[in-house]
């Protein structure tokens, strides 16, 4: 918001009365597209190269490169980019692309490995993914709460991100040395000789896809719906009380509701799926995933800024909060229940590849949803 403000007005964009610039309005949607496309490509590549490059190289290499990119982001915080906003916009998107290349390799590797463990560990990793969103939202709120300038608040926020990556590297090094981790990895390696030949691997992948394509389609639909409106559209939904000088409505509403509440709902949904382990029926899963399309018009009928074509139906904050929470809860629940069921429909030696393929289906959903989101934002911003 600060970097892409209208510099000619000589005022902070956090002021509720200042109209957003096109870069401010569309940045989140462009961010989603720049994230999802490289994420999809490298999730697919990771599935292909997972048996040619060691797990440690993929995980530690991706984390180390992510740390370098995040350090570069910290440097840009204190650079005055007012006179070259378009260039900074392009550089930022390029960094996002590279970050998501690393993220895809990292997450694809982790999800592939966790497929060898029992469902409780799958829930832990899936839940951790959502909990990371909660942590990031809290970091953003803290950076705003300190009341410093936009640049100082951003410095705190991205410094927390860098520290988190360093902690992740340390945790992974400790993890791979544990007897428990080595046992499950070695146990899996005892099954089958197909890992050694790429031809056998290709045949196995086709067989695996035939066994789990319905699960993959379900998660694809789930993430397509979610990314169609979150966060590109939901970040534009404002509080009913914005513009009256209340910091909750003007400053904290979007980060607290759009990011923190969503990620809490997503996290709770994933935990709930790990406990209930239902539905097991593929038909029910597909119906539930498809039914979530109703959330797209529901959220568009909330208090979306810049909307000109239709009236606001859900103009109260509590209505938007309820819709968003159910939206997040269903996303987390369906994402985890599918991830739990997939290792059960394939043979033991196919679990790692099956889990990696699931991340590809997820990446396709993220990409489609991001493209739809950008289209929606451009339409309502006319």
């Amino acid at each position: 918001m600060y970097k892409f403000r209208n510099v000619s007005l000589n005022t902070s964009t956090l002021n509720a009365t200042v109209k957003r610039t096109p870069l401010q309005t569309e940045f989140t949607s462009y961010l989603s597209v720049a994230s999802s496309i490289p994420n999809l490509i490298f999730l697919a590549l990771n599935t292909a190269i997972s048996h040619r490059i060691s797990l440690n190289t993929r995980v530690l290499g991706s984390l180390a490169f992510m740390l370098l990119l995040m350090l570069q982001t910290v440097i840009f915080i204190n650079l005055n980019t007012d006179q070259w906003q378009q260039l900074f916009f392009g550089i930022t998107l390029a960094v996002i692309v590279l970050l998501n290349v690393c993220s895809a390799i990292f997450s694809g590797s982790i999800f592939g490995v966790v497929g060898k463990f029992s469902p409780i560990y799958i829930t832990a990793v899936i839940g951790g993914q959502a909990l990371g969103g909660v942590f990031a939202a809290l970091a953003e709120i803290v950076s705003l709460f300190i009341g410093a300038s936009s640049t100082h608040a951003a410095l705190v926020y991205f410094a927390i991100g860098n520290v988190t990556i360093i902690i992740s590297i340390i945790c992974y090094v400790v993890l791979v040395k544990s007897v428990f981790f080595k046992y499950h990895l070695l146990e899996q390696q005892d099954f089958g000789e197909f890992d050694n030949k790429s031809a056998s691997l290709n045949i196995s992948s086709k067989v695996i896809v035939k066994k789990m394509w319905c699960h993959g389609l379900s998660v694809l639909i789930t993430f397509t719906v979610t990314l169609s409106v979150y966060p590109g559209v939901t970040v534009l939904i404002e509080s009913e009380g914005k513009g009256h000088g209340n910091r909750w409505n003007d400053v904290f509403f979007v980060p607290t509701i759009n990011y923190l509440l969503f990620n809490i709902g997503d996290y709770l949904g994933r935990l709930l799926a790990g406990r209930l382990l239902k539905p097991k029926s593929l038909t029910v899963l597909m119906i539930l995933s498809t039914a979530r399309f109703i959330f797209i018009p529901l959220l568009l009928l909330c208090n979306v800024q810049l909307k000109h074509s239709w009236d606001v139906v859900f103009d109260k904050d509590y209505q938007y909060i309820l819709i968003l929470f159910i939206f997040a809860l269903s996303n987390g629940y369906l994402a985890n229940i599918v991830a739990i069921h997939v290792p059960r429909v394939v043979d033991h030696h196919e679990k790692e590849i099956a889990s990696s393929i699931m991340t590809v289906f997820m990446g396709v959903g993220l990409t489609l949803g991001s493209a739809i989101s950008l289209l929606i934002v451009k339409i309502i911003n006319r």
Side-chain angles (χ1 to χ4, degrees), residues 70 135-137 139-141 143 152-162:
M70 288 289 286
F135 183 77
E140 180 183 6
I141 292 169
S143 68
H152 288 160
L155 186 63
V156 171
Y157 180 73
F158 285 104
I160 292 173
N162 282 293

Side-chain angles (χ1 to χ4, degrees), residues 208 212 342-343 346 350-359:
I208 293 169
M212 52 163 286
V342 163
V346 298
E350 298 172 330
K351 288 184 177 180
E352 180 177 359
I353 298 176
S355 296
S356 295
I357 291 173
M358 276 301 300
T359 63

